[in-house]
Amino acid sequence: MNKYLFKVLSKLRNPNLWTVYKELKQNENLTKEQLLELQYNKLRDILIFSYNYSPYWKKIFDKHNIVITEDDPFGVLKKIPLTDKDTLISNNSEIHTQYKFNKTFKAKTSGTTGASLSFYRNELWDSYNRASIFRGYSWHSVNPSEFNFYFWGLNLSLKKRLIIWVQDLLQNRRRIFSYHKKDFESLLKHNPFLSYIEGYSSSIYELAKYAVANNKVSTFPNLKLVKGTSETILPHYKKMIKKAFGLGFANEYGSAEAGIIGFSCPHDNMHVNSESVIIEEIDGEAIVTNLNSKSFPILKYRQGDIVEIDFKANCPCGLPHPIIKSVKGRVGELIYGKNSTYPSLLLYNVFKNINEKYDMSISYQAIQKLKGQLLVKIDQNPTEFLNKIIDAEFKKYTKTDLIIEITRLKFKVKSSKFRDFVSEL
Ligand SMILES: [Zn+2]
């Protein structure tokens, strides 16, 4: 699609998009201190706004004797109690600010307990999300109007499908939502127009694996970016993407409610989107405050992931933004042994060790139905050798507390996020 037409159309939806984009591009030249100062001002602004217009936040600040001082927003932030998705769902209308915005968008996302969260996102907030993604693309010389593959689940009515078909046409992308051999075959034909691939990490990994196994690598001479979203990018995914497409596996990290939190640069470092979020690492967990969320203030939010952040890092790309070194999985999900419990991060570690030791790329999903037992599904034939090394790796952590059963994982059409651990206890 013509990039000027793209610009005009996107401006109709988001009047502030390109102004914000320009600002974000300029910020790339700031020093770390200047970037911190920018956050300081935006944080003070959102804290005052939340107190003045959100009945929920006013109540919380008053209850905890939090006084918003003009000169120490970071100090104030430390005193605010943590919130989570359940808080956002059960106090939904009170969190929404009583302020008339020119334009808002409705956003919806699912919750852990099955209840879903909906909220209104003001236009500027939405524009920051989009502009942040476009800035990320620019680091890889990608213009968002260029042709792309989009791996996303789709399970919709005919009417919605039609709307999405038009959107995809306008955005110059081919959406993929089934994973049969013939789909992969048709995708992997020589295509000089393909500029980027994005979507569920596990799906892109499947395509890469197919390409390598069937000797269909380097069919995209002008591919500039492969970007995974929404799911943890496992270490062996990166290796496979490199083999298939000759590129790193970039990560766009965030959530509907917390916004775009990070984006990988060409040096494979995921930079914090500091103009939009303040991310803190508290007991290993990512706590996010969104600096643009004026319609529905997201403060001290438990994003739910285990992360590692380097605030002082200097990346060769020159960006002043801190680096999120890893996103290791979800917080709080527990695997039950007969006597003890283990964080589900155990799975990540087990398969990472195997990958490093044996150079074996295994995709997996673990399901727990009974305490002390774990069903581990893997994407290849569970040979005697595989059984032995996987079992041995688990035993290093769990000794005899957990019995492992290994079966074959069938990759099938999916309409939702792939989860590496499912507890049915
Ligand atoms: Zn960088």
Side-chain angles (χ1 to χ4, degrees), residues 139 263-271 314-323:
W139 298 338
F263 205 105
S264 305
C265 76
H267 293 272
D268 201 22
N269 283 322
M270 180 160 57
H271 289 279
N314 287 308
C315 182
C317 78
L319 285 170
H321 305 67
I323 290 170

Side-chain angles (χ1 to χ4, degrees), residues 315-423:
C315 182
C317 78
L319 285 170
H321 305 67
I323 290 170
I324 301 171
K325 292 180 75 179
S326 60
V327 181
K328 291 179 179 168
R330 303 294 292 169
V331 172
E333 290 185 319
L334 291 177
I335 296 171
Y336 282 83
K338 282 192 289 280
N339 304 307
S340 313
T341 57
Y342 310 88
S344 61
L345 184 63
L346 169 70
L347 299 166
Y348 178 92
N349 288 331
V350 162
F351 286 96
K352 182 169 165 258
N353 294 348
I354 290 173
N355 183 33
E356 280 167 5
K357 241 187 257 174
Y358 303 96
D359 196 25
M360 292 185 80
S361 302
I362 303 170
S363 284
Y364 59 89
Q365 182 178 50
I367 298 166
Q368 183 156 47
K369 294 178 177 165
L370 286 171
K371 284 188 180 175
Q373 292 181 25
L374 188 69
L375 179 66
V376 180
K377 296 180 171 183
I378 57 172
D379 66 341
Q380 38 201 284
N381 268 333
T383 58
E384 202 177 314
F385 173 70
L386 270 175
N387 266 296
K388 211 173 104 187
I389 59 171
I390 293 171
D391 197 56
E393 207 57 52
F394 270 101
K395 281 216 165 69
K396 276 189 197 160
Y397 298 93
T398 63
K399 307 278 186 317
T400 55
D401 197 33
L402 189 67
I403 297 164
I404 306 294
E405 188 196 336
I406 299 164
T407 61
R408 177 85 195 244
L409 169 74
K410 284 267 185 285
F411 197 81
K412 54 178 192 284
V413 180
K414 53 187 211 162
S415 56
S416 63
K417 206 190 262 200
F418 180 80
R419 295 172 61 204
D420 65 350
F421 177 58
V422 180
S423 179

Side-chain angles (χ1 to χ4, degrees), residues 185 188 207-219 243-244:
E185 284 290 329
L188 290 166
L207 179 71
K209 205 167 71 172
Y210 187 90
V212 170
N214 295 280
N215 208 8
K216 289 183 183 298
V217 296
S218 58
T219 48
K243 259 191 211 167

